[in-house]
Amino acid sequence: MKTTMRLFMNGLIILTLVFTSCSKDGEIGPIGPSGTSGIDGVDGTDGVDGTDGVDGTDGNDGVDGVDGVDGNADVRLLEYGSETITTGSITYEMEGVTLAIANEYLILGFYANIYQTPNAGNSFVTKKQWIPIPGRGESGLFETRSFVDASSALLSGVPTSDFEVRLYQLGSLIAYTTEVTFDEFKIFVIPPSTTGKNSNVEFGKMTYEELIYHFGLEN
């Protein structure tokens, strides 16, 4: 009995030693190679687009701007020198004025009467008076009328039309053949875009100075 007990105790001690020695950590081994990457997963289904939002309320219209000053890009001012008339008529060639321009544009003529008036002492002041055509001439001695002879022909390589001025005795159709000098002559050629039905300006009633100022032309 004692012998059996002793054997049991010795076996128990041996098992305890075995378990104790096994429970101690061993040395850490080297890190193994990385594993192969896994296959990418399948993309998920796109989500449903959201509903468009409600349009906002339109804003109020802005205030209209102030109309700009009329431009003069298409207004032409033809200028001529002094001419003395003894036959009751004179013709001015309007170079570059085509048949279409003559039919659609407003064409206004003015001649200058240059004269002198007494000043203080024995001196004189030179003045220039611009007189519209048609109308009554200076000093009311005669009347003038104008005629535009439009042409589609090319003269000197450019289209040319004529602006003819005829002088008549007052209140008649009899030619005024007394010598008259037009010291200068100018013709305004005004496009229909400026003289259209929406324009509130009556250019035919304006003076030479008013036309020059309105179109910003050099006098």
Side-chain angles (χ1 to χ4, degrees), residues 42 45 61 79 93 97 102 110 123 141 147 156 158 169 178 199-200 208 218:
V42 179
T45 305
D61 292 337
E79 303 181 64
E93 289 187 356
V97 177
F110 291 84
S123 62
L141 298 176
F147 303 86
S156 301
V158 295
Q169 297 180 21
T178 301
S199 174
N200 57 1
Y208 169 83
E218 292 184 5

Side-chain angles (χ1 to χ4, degrees), residues 28-113:
I28 300 173
I31 299 173
S34 300
T36 304
S37 299
I39 300 173
D40 292 338
V42 179
D43 292 338
T45 305
D46 292 338
V48 179
D49 292 338
T51 305
D52 292 339
V54 179
D55 292 339
T57 305
D58 292 338
N60 295 328
D61 292 337
V63 179
D64 291 338
V66 179
D67 290 340
V69 178
D70 292 336
N72 65 348
D74 296 325
V75 176
R76 295 180 59 190
L77 183 60
L78 308 179
E79 303 181 64
Y80 307 85
S82 177
E83 294 284 352
T84 297
I85 307 166
T86 58
T87 60
S89 69
I90 185 172
T91 298
Y92 296 93
E93 289 187 356
M94 297 186 293
E95 187 175 290
V97 177
T98 65
L99 178 62
I101 289 176
N103 288 339
E104 298 177 8
Y105 283 45
L106 177 62
I107 299 178
L108 301 173
F110 291 84
Y111 76 91
N113 176 37

Side-chain angles (χ1 to χ4, degrees), residues 123-146:
S123 62
F124 291 86
V125 175
T126 299
K127 294 186 177 182
K128 182 188 294 186
Q129 179 186 25
W130 285 100
I131 302 171
I133 292 177
R136 180 167 292 194
E138 78 270 12
S139 303
L141 298 176
F142 58 89
E143 294 178 352
T144 61
R145 296 184 183 181
S146 63

Side-chain angles (χ1 to χ4, degrees), residues 125-210:
V125 175
T126 299
K127 294 186 177 182
K128 182 188 294 186
Q129 179 186 25
W130 285 100
I131 302 171
I133 292 177
R136 180 167 292 194
E138 78 270 12
S139 303
L141 298 176
F142 58 89
E143 294 178 352
T144 61
R145 296 184 183 181
S146 63
F147 303 86
V148 175
D149 184 11
S151 174
S152 59
L154 296 180
L155 302 178
S156 301
V158 295
T160 302
S161 298
D162 292 333
F163 187 93
E164 182 183 0
V165 181
R166 296 179 189 174
L167 285 63
Y168 297 95
Q169 297 180 21
L170 292 177
S172 73
L173 293 179
I174 301 174
Y176 184 82
T177 56
T178 301
E179 183 178 295
V180 174
T181 298
F182 289 175
D183 294 305
E184 291 181 45
F185 200 88
K186 295 189 180 183
I187 301 173
F188 290 85
V189 183
I190 306 172
S193 59
T194 303
T195 61
K197 62 182 180 181
N198 294 327
S199 174
N200 57 1
V201 180
E202 295 186 71
F203 296 106
K205 295 182 179 180
M206 296 174 70
T207 65
Y208 169 83
E209 290 78 11
E210 288 171 339

